[in-house]
Amino acid sequence: LAKALKKNKTLLSINLRKNKLGDVGVEAIAGALKENTTLQKLNLASNQICDHGGQLLLEAVRKNLRSSLQSVKLGNNLRLGRETYDRIVRWIENPDIVELRKTIVHLGKKNKKLRI
């Protein structure tokens, strides 16, 4: 899946909710996001993602200046900790970030941390 996502030119949205990807699966997805320029919506809710996986996703999106990503859903990943949350918030709230565009990060109601 990650290899296909890396080279994707047509897929606009992918829902991987409740797939138990964990940080290992998210690492593969993050690697693909560094190169993908087509995907607009990504749902990774309920995937047992921890801080490491959350930070890999953030770095991937930050490094891809040509990303079309507009929405990332991370709700119900209860192992996603405060440190990762704080990094995401600082990144989103930084007015100098050009690559942010209109990316929306949903950490979900259970996390009660961020919904932009």
Side-chain angles (χ1 to χ4, degrees):
L1 176 65
K3 285 182 183 180
L5 189 57
K6 188 182 280 190
K7 297 177 182 183
N8 168 56
K9 300 256 190 278
T10 57
L11 186 66
L12 300 177
S13 178
I14 189 165
N15 185 347
L16 296 173
R17 185 173 179 258
K18 292 187 176 183
N19 275 287
K20 299 180 182 178
L21 295 174
D23 287 348
V24 174
V26 168
E27 185 171 1
I29 299 296
L33 290 177
K34 289 179 183 176
E35 296 182 32
N36 182 287
T37 59
T38 309
L39 193 67
Q40 295 175 0
K41 296 180 182 180
L42 176 62
N43 187 347
L44 293 173
S46 303
N47 268 295
Q48 302 172 349
I49 300 171
C50 299
D51 282 330
H52 179 69
Q55 291 177 26
L56 289 172
L57 284 171
L58 178 60
E59 289 302 314
V61 174
R62 286 172 58 184
K63 289 182 180 180
N64 186 346
L65 299 178
R66 299 179 305 133
S67 175
S68 297
L69 206 56
Q70 297 171 1
S71 174
V72 179
K73 293 187 179 184
L74 294 171
N76 203 29
N77 284 294
L78 301 179
R79 297 177 185 166
L80 198 60
R82 185 71 190 186
E83 181 181 341
T84 300
Y85 164 74
D86 287 343
R87 285 183 183 195
I88 291 171
V89 169
R90 282 194 305 270
W91 177 63
I92 289 172
E93 292 178 345
N94 183 345
D96 298 327
I97 295 177
V98 175
E99 71 267 24
L100 177 60
R101 294 193 184 114
K102 295 179 182 175
T103 301
I104 299 171
V105 178
H106 302 273
L107 291 178
K109 292 179 182 177
K110 286 196 176 192
N111 295 65
K112 293 186 179 177
K113 295 175 180 173
L114 176 69
R115 184 172 176 93
I116 296 178

